[in-house]
Amino acid sequence: MEFPPCPNSLKSIQHFLKLAQEHDSRDIVIAYWARLYALQIGLKASSQSAEETQLLLAIMDWLEQMKKTHADNEAITNDIAAQAHIENYALKLFLYADKQDREENFGKNVVKAYYSSGVLYDILLTFGELSEEALHNRKYAKYKAAYIHNCLKNGETPIPGPFPDDESAELNGESPAGVKDEAGTNVTAPEEPSTDAQSDNVEPSSPAPQTTPPTVEEVLNNPNKLPSPPVEEEKPGGFEPYVPPAQPNAAIFQPAVPVHITPDQMITAQKYCKYAGSALNYDDVKTAIENLQKALKLLTTGAE
């Protein structure tokens, strides 16, 4: 379906529409919820001009058509399944970008992956407030996208991996130039840490292996190649990607007396189980285990 051009007055939804367009043939679930979120934002920002109305009506028609065509796709018809699908997709992009970043494989693919991950975490606001992990990854992804983009633009070598946070590195909904659509933007690069503040005893890092990193498309089209989170020593003051706390052994969840489970708790447990099922679709065993453990704990202790 051909959509009318996005007027400048709805510039705030352009990056969601761009993401949707890129996923029309790759992942209809991502395309659907990206356009739905764009519609929600667009309706709030619209001044009801003819150009705005034409675009928003076209998005509405497309959404209705997709909902009928994919009525058997739970990730489109069910909010819980959709949220789990998008969370896993965003995390996959985030881990890919973080791995390439730490290995100093800088380029447009890394910027695009970080940025797209941040946009996906924005889309998750459709379902309510973000979790601590999602909030952390969203901020870090946008931070790194802006920083690496501006370093490359200015001919500088980015610092790999995390370093002290700088609040000036917000993208404010803008897409970095060179992230596929070459759209211009005014992104302020974060200030690099002062060399005086760095320890003289820190040894230089080993050079990254000379291998050709996979592209964003290769990662997304090969679910079995989900990268593992990097393991590094914690640096004081660093901005480390969020690592969920270790879950207790399931054996301690065996209740001594029967536990009364409320209807709301039962729904929450079902949600965790669906998250686990969605994670397994991407061969993300770690996330599946974490969600199953949460469900087991809730059902056996009555506490989250």
Side-chain angles (χ1 to χ4, degrees):
M1 178 176 176
E2 292 293 331
F3 290 91
C6 184
N8 289 332
S9 56
L10 293 181
K11 189 176 181 180
S12 60
I13 71 172
Q14 284 182 337
H15 45 294
F16 300 115
L17 298 179
K18 181 65 177 178
L19 184 72
Q21 181 183 11
E22 292 172 354
H23 287 80
D24 278 331
S25 59
R26 179 187 300 157
D27 191 322
I28 192 61
V29 174
I30 298 299
Y32 179 87
W33 290 100
R35 286 200 176 95
L36 179 58
Y37 190 68
L39 176 64
Q40 294 173 344
I41 300 299
L43 289 173
K44 294 178 181 178
S46 175
S47 61
Q48 299 185 353
S49 68
E51 293 81 4
E52 293 172 346
T53 302
Q54 186 180 14
L55 174 61
L56 296 177
L57 287 176
I59 296 175
M60 289 182 190
D61 291 341
W62 183 88
L63 291 171
E64 285 299 318
Q65 179 183 341
M66 290 301 104
K67 199 163 188 178
K68 292 178 182 178
T69 303
H70 300 277
D72 58 342
N73 190 333
E74 192 178 29
I76 286 181
T77 60
N78 183 282
D79 286 2
I80 294 177
Q83 184 177 4
H85 182 98
I86 300 171
E87 282 180 345
N88 279 283
Y89 198 97
L91 180 60
K92 183 178 181 181
L93 275 177
F94 180 85
L95 292 177
Y96 161 77
D98 186 62
K99 183 175 184 294
Q100 298 304 319
D101 173 19
R102 291 170 185 257
E103 293 179 354
E104 302 184 38
N105 294 321
F106 303 117
K108 291 182 180 180
N109 275 327
V110 175
V111 177
K112 178 175 175 58
Y114 266 136
Y115 181 75
S116 296
S117 176
V119 172
L120 286 166
Y121 281 116
D122 285 338
I123 294 171
L124 283 169
L125 291 170
T126 303
F127 310 104
E129 295 183 3
L130 300 181
S131 65
E132 180 183 351
E133 177 185 3
L135 282 171
H136 185 284
N137 289 352
R138 175 194 185 202
K139 180 178 181 180
Y140 186 84
K142 292 186 177 185
Y143 182 100
K144 279 300 230 176
Y147 170 67
I148 296 175
H149 158 66
N150 282 286
C151 282
L152 297 177
K153 180 180 178 181
N154 297 327
E156 302 171 356
T157 301
I159 297 175
F163 50 88
D165 184 17
D166 186 331
E167 295 294 339
S168 68
E170 293 294 338
L171 290 180
N172 297 322
E174 300 275 351
S175 172
V179 185
K180 190 119 178 189
D181 57 358
E182 303 291 340
T185 180
N186 296 319
V187 179
T188 302
E191 297 178 1
E192 297 185 8
S194 171
T195 54
D196 295 335
Q198 299 177 356
S199 172
D200 294 332
N201 297 324
V202 177
E203 296 181 2
S205 58
S206 301
Q210 297 301 312
T211 57
T212 302
T215 65
V216 175
E217 287 71 19
E218 288 172 341
V219 171
L220 294 179
N221 290 330
N222 290 275
N224 293 332
K225 295 184 178 180
L226 176 63
S228 300
V231 178
E232 288 193 357
E233 294 182 359
E234 184 175 356
K235 300 177 178 66
F239 192 160
E240 297 287 347
Y242 178 83
V243 178
Q247 296 293 330
N249 190 289
I252 70 173
F253 295 152
Q254 299 301 325
V257 295
V259 177
H260 175 69
I261 304 299
T262 66
D264 287 342
Q265 289 175 321
M266 188 65 70
I267 292 174
T268 301
Q270 291 174 344
K271 178 183 69 173
Y272 287 140
C273 290
K274 289 185 177 181
Y275 284 174
S278 179
L280 289 177
N281 289 335
Y282 286 89
D283 292 340
D284 187 355
V285 177
K286 179 175 178 289
T287 300
I289 292 174
E290 289 172 356
N291 282 285
L292 289 174
Q293 288 176 329
K294 290 178 182 178
L296 181 60
K297 181 181 178 181
L298 178 59
L299 293 173
T300 56
T301 68
E304 295 190 49

